[in-house]
Amino acid sequence: MTNTPESAGRSMRVTGRLLILQVLVLSLLATLGGRLWFLQVRNGRQYSQEAVSNHIRPLQVPAVRGQILDANGQPLADNTTKLVVTVSRTALLQQHDGGAAVLARLGQVLGMTPTEVHDKVRLCDAVTPQPCWNGSPYQPIPVTDAATTQQAMQILERREDFPGVTADPTAVRYYPAPHGANAAQMLGYLSPVTQDEINAATGPDGKSLYSASDQVGRAGLESVYDTALRGHPGVDNLEVDNLGRVTGSAGGTAPVPGDDVVTSIDARIQGIAEQQLQQALVTLRKTWDTVTDENFKADSGAVVVMDVHTGRVIAMASAPSYNPNVWSGGISDKDYAALTSAGSDFPLLNRATQGQSAPGSTFKVITTSGAINAGYTYDDKFPCTSAMTIGGRVFKNFEGENYGDIDISKALEVSCDTVFYNIAYQQWLKDGGTKPTHPADWLYKAATQFGLGKKTGIDLPGEVGGRVPDRSWHDLYYDEMKGIWCRQAASGKDDYTTQVAREDCADFATLRAGDEVNYAIGQGDTLVTPIQMARVYSALANGGTLYRPQIAKAVVTPTGKVVSNLPPVVQGHLPDTQRTLQYIDDATAGVITEGTAAWKFQGWPQNKIQLHAKTGTAEVVGKQTTSWFDTYTKDYAVVMTIAQGGTGSGGAGPAVRNIYNALYGVQANNSIDPKKALLPTPQTSLPTFQPDGSVIQPASLSVAVPGTYYHPGNGGGRPGDGVPGGATTALYALTPERRVGA
């Protein structure tokens, strides 16, 4: 065939196209080869490691939580071993039915329905309600922590029927209550970490400090010292196949157990404080209130025992209380409702730091300080009349006492209200009355100098600061409430609430005479907490130093090596001279021997253990009076308050006396037996630890904790005439059956 010019042209075009195609193919091959070289040679090791890591699933291994110890090394919060039945989701998914038959058999053994077991092991997500598992799907999922030995044996002996199911001893949180030291509100509790907390808590590497299965402190010391107690989790690198099934372990790191927190709490005194507070409530509920013509309700209370030299807390009790072990392993809906419902009286509340009320006459030591600094002398006399009229309103003395002309010291001793009314009214007039210019406000200044009106800084969460109702507070509160008050004032009603609203709508922003008069005796809008008053009376005892209240003394390793000491912290000093402090000292000693507490302290060995006290009976609108009894010796301050508990000495006095009996070994005949004194002087040293971390118990712990105490009722009587202990001082038992105290 003859090649024509036309066919020759086509041939050349085809050849050119083929050449271009060959160049493209070669270029693609060169690019692919270069990429393969880059992946397999230059970065081969990196991608090899990443490929391997796709088959590794890191599993966090929780650390054993540290203990919370009392001053002698006895555990207040510990770990105990329980039989925990767990299920592996990986093993379940390998079953032909997804593990349904295994879960059904497991439910039969544990006394649970298949649905209950299934819900325990399902994974949580945005639409799955509790119960569900919020942790890693590769981690064994706990079904119950209350398995019996017989149930565990059935599971372990029939492994072919329970693939992926194990029953192992596991450490869970436990609150042993040594010597009855429940300390529920002070210790706090644990609960599962939330997703928000997981997202918020990150380390330097950007990874979360929590895993989804972690338990964290939610209240009390468990919360404040959570980081130290929690330790550091380990990691178990699990090998999995392409279906996600665990095939082995690639090693990992061991967890580091948490440190222990040593506290200043003495479990023996703590147990007695709780016992005496509860018994005071029980006794008062059987006692007639002549004012309201019914028994005292005595619905709640608190007590604090403090080392006056350091501010360390020796005991702290709040009532009503509960058994903190209800939180271990997860709290039930029924138990949670019992702790939080309106009829529970809210036992989760720590009334020693979160309960605030008017202090009543216990506040008069502060008014005395303000009066002396304002220029009154130790010898000035004031009429102690049964009543005093100010601005057309009658202010009565409690129970109408009339002692004639007395000085401030005697007024403290017998708690004469009208003396303090007089001083407050004079100061109000001196400061300009309703038209002040440059008011000195000595009485209000004294309260802030005594540390009131703000938090003490104790190492517990949720503390409240109380209130000093000075001029600035009046301004702020009026701005906040005037709308409500003025609407109530205009309602046309004539009840007590409307009458008060009408007055407050008109002039609450102005510090009125009645405001300062009520304030001087610890009434009106003044609010304090028991821990604040314990610090005040500790400062009176130690010469004027205000210490920050503190519970933890040190953080130590599980072997007892000190990680950090937590020394006492001085926060300030009282504004008084030593002569003024001695003046108050003498007056408060007289309260015990001749004053308002004498009827409850007959025979007290005052010449050997000088006790100082101030009683308080705070009036509350619509309720029975609040009992306050604030005391101190040269070493301890003991403060107790009981809501709707009557007078200070009648309501709380006997219980406080019994706490001092235990501290100093005072017997029923008022003799002192040093061998029976539990803590005659505060403990300053840390416990002594063995190399294995166990504690060498001090010889003082061999002293038997008294089981019974003299506890007279409100009718008075001589010490020693009361029915000894036994049933009269029994408390609720800290058992799983009795989980919520009254």
Side-chain angles (χ1 to χ4, degrees):
M1 180 175 179
T2 304
N3 291 330
T4 65
E6 182 179 348
S7 62
R10 283 198 300 269
S11 182
M12 291 178 63
R13 286 195 296 271
V14 170
T15 301
R17 290 170 182 170
L18 289 174
L19 180 61
I20 293 171
L21 182 60
Q22 290 173 349
V23 170
L24 289 174
V25 170
L26 290 173
S27 298
L28 289 173
L29 289 173
T31 301
L32 180 60
R35 183 60 179 167
L36 288 173
W37 174 87
F38 181 84
L39 294 175
Q40 296 184 14
V41 179
R42 184 164 183 249
N43 281 11
R45 178 171 297 181
Q46 173 189 344
Y47 288 100
S48 176
Q49 291 174 347
E50 292 182 2
V52 171
S53 68
N54 285 333
H55 296 281
I56 300 295
R57 296 291 183 270
L59 176 65
Q60 195 170 86
V61 181
V64 175
R65 192 171 180 87
Q67 298 174 308
I68 300 176
L69 306 173
D70 89 334
N72 296 305
Q74 297 187 92
L76 300 171
D78 202 353
N79 302 297
T80 189
T81 300
K82 289 188 177 181
L83 279 173
V84 178
V85 175
T86 60
V87 172
S88 168
R89 280 184 57 85
T90 299
L92 290 181
L93 295 176
Q94 292 175 1
Q95 306 299 308
H96 65 87
D97 61 353
V102 174
L103 295 181
R105 287 192 291 270
L106 181 60
Q108 290 178 346
V109 171
L110 298 178
M112 302 170 65
T113 66
T115 300
E116 288 175 327
V117 179
H118 173 269
D119 289 350
K120 287 272 191 176
V121 301
R122 64 183 175 178
L123 300 181
C124 294
D125 56 31
V127 296
T128 302
Q130 292 285 346
C132 57
W133 176 243
N134 196 37
S136 168
Y138 300 103
Q139 188 169 3
I141 302 172
V143 176
T144 180
D145 66 353
T148 66
T149 304
Q150 182 180 4
Q151 291 169 335
M153 291 300 296
Q154 290 185 58
I155 294 169
L156 296 176
E157 290 176 353
R158 297 163 50 196
R159 289 187 180 276
E160 69 280 1
D161 292 334
F162 298 101
V165 181
T166 60
D168 296 314
T170 304
V172 296
R173 204 59 164 169
Y174 173 61
Y175 302 95
H179 305 291
N182 183 35
Q185 297 89 351
M186 179 173 56
L187 292 173
Y189 58 90
L190 306 181
S191 70
V193 67
T194 66
Q195 189 60 49
D196 288 342
E197 290 169 325
I198 293 173
N199 297 338
T202 57
D205 57 359
K207 296 182 179 179
S208 178
L209 299 176
Y210 295 117
S211 70
S213 60
D214 276 348
Q215 298 274 315
V216 295
R218 288 297 178 206
L221 298 173
E222 293 276 29
S223 171
V224 174
Y225 295 100
D226 182 70
T227 301
L229 291 165
R230 190 157 30 91
H232 301 283
V235 175
D236 185 7
N237 293 310
L238 300 179
E239 296 177 339
V240 298
D241 60 19
N242 59 345
L243 296 179
R245 295 173 298 194
V246 177
T247 60
S249 175
T253 58
V256 178
D259 292 326
D260 297 338
V261 174
V262 180
T263 70
S264 55
I265 300 298
D266 188 301
R268 301 165 302 170
I269 307 303
Q270 176 70 27
I272 290 168
E274 293 180 19
Q275 180 197 50
Q276 290 302 310
L277 175 61
Q278 182 70 13
Q279 182 58 46
L281 300 182
V282 172
T283 301
L284 285 166
R285 290 168 189 162
K286 299 176 182 178
T287 304
W288 191 255
D289 181 2
T290 58
V291 176
T292 60
D293 286 333
E294 60 181 335
N295 285 355
F296 287 106
K297 292 183 173 61
D299 50 20
S300 60
V303 60
V304 177
V305 182
M306 182 175 286
D307 176 353
V308 304
H309 307 295
T310 61
R312 297 192 188 281
V313 177
I314 309 300
M316 174 186 287
S318 178
S321 190
Y322 70 100
N323 188 338
N325 289 304
V326 297
W327 295 97
S328 296
I331 190 169
S332 68
D333 291 339
K334 180 180 179 181
D335 285 334
Y336 187 74
L339 297 179
T340 57
S341 64
S344 68
D345 277 330
F346 307 107
L348 293 177
L349 185 70
N350 186 347
R351 286 170 167 82
T353 61
Q354 298 173 307
Q356 41 187 10
S357 65
S361 292
T362 62
F363 188 81
K364 289 173 181 174
V365 295
I366 297 171
T367 305
T368 297
S369 168
I372 297 299
N373 288 323
Y376 295 97
T377 72
Y378 306 114
D379 300 321
D380 283 343
K381 295 290 194 293
F382 304 87
C384 178
T385 55
S386 59
M388 182 177 180
T389 302
I390 299 174
R393 177 171 296 178
V394 177
F395 292 85
K396 296 181 179 180
N397 210 359
F398 187 72
E399 296 183 345
E401 301 99 330
N402 188 331
Y403 290 96
D405 290 348
I406 59 175
D407 59 19
I408 301 176
S409 176
K410 187 65 176 180
L412 274 177
E413 181 183 302
V414 300
S415 203
C416 179
D417 291 338
T418 49
V419 167
F420 293 94
Y421 292 154
N422 198 339
I423 292 172
Y425 185 52
Q426 290 179 18
Q427 285 298 298
W428 181 79
L429 291 173
K430 189 174 181 180
D431 286 334
T434 58
K435 297 180 179 179
T437 52
H438 300 287
D441 287 338
W442 284 104
L443 304 188
Y444 290 98
K445 187 185 297 182
T448 58
Q449 291 170 325
F450 272 69
L452 300 184
K454 60 182 179 181
K455 299 176 183 180
T456 66
I458 189 173
D459 48 346
L460 288 176
E463 182 189 9
V464 296
R467 178 197 297 154
V468 176
D470 55 14
R471 297 178 193 275
S472 61
W473 178 81
H474 270 260
D475 285 337
L476 292 173
Y477 199 59
Y478 179 72
D479 289 342
E480 180 181 339
M481 297 295 296
K482 62 182 178 182
I484 297 174
W485 288 335
C486 293
R487 283 193 298 272
Q488 178 71 23
S491 66
K493 298 179 181 179
D494 197 35
D495 55 12
Y496 175 78
T497 302
T498 304
Q499 292 173 13
V500 173
R502 194 170 293 120
E503 293 179 5
D504 290 343
C505 172
D507 59 3
F508 187 86
T510 301
L511 187 67
R512 301 159 296 193
D515 295 323
E516 187 150 358
V517 163
N518 273 321
Y519 165 82
I521 64 164
Q523 291 284 173
D525 296 304
T526 308
L527 293 176
V528 299
T529 63
I531 193 67
Q532 288 177 323
M533 297 309 287
R535 182 173 64 160
V536 165
Y537 278 77
S538 290
L540 292 173
N542 67 33
T545 301
L546 288 165
Y547 286 98
R548 182 178 68 193
Q550 194 160 302
I551 298 173
K553 292 176 70 174
V555 176
V556 302
T557 66
T559 59
K561 182 180 179 181
V562 176
V563 176
S564 60
N565 271 309
L566 303 171
V569 176
V570 175
Q571 292 181 313
H573 296 87
L574 301 185
D576 302 299
T577 65
Q578 290 303 307
R579 185 180 178 189
T580 298
L581 293 175
Q582 185 62 53
Y583 185 77
I584 296 173
D585 212 47
D586 293 340
T588 52
V591 171
I592 294 293
T593 57
E594 300 176 11
T596 53
W599 69 302
K600 289 297 183 183
F601 283 82
Q602 296 177 34
W604 176 260
Q606 188 75 342
N607 59 332
K608 297 179 180 178
I609 304 170
Q610 190 172 75
L611 182 59
H612 307 260
K614 187 68 198 78
T615 57
T617 308
E619 297 180 2
V620 182
V621 176
K623 293 186 177 183
Q624 295 168 315
T625 55
T626 300
S627 169
W628 279 91
F629 196 52
D630 298 358
T631 67
Y632 63 90
T633 63
K634 64 181 182 64
D635 290 313
Y636 300 107
V638 180
V639 168
M640 182 177 286
T641 183
I642 299 175
Q644 304 200 83
T647 64
S649 55
V656 171
R657 178 169 185 164
N658 285 332
I659 293 172
Y660 280 117
N661 287 346
L663 285 166
Y664 291 111
V666 180
Q667 304 303 295
N669 61 2
N670 297 310
S671 65
I672 300 172
D673 187 346
K675 294 181 180 180
K676 295 183 179 180
L678 296 184
L679 201 64
T681 57
Q683 184 171 336
T684 57
S685 61
L686 294 176
T688 302
F689 292 86
Q690 300 271 31
D692 63 355
S694 61
V695 177
I696 300 175
Q697 298 295 343
S700 61
L701 285 188
S702 63
V703 178
V705 177
T708 61
Y709 296 95
Y710 156 72
H711 200 302
N714 279 10
R718 292 186 301 107
D721 291 345
V723 178
T728 64
T729 58
L731 281 188
Y732 60 89
L734 296 175
T735 63
E737 291 74 26
R738 181 72 182 267
R739 291 182 171 180
V740 180

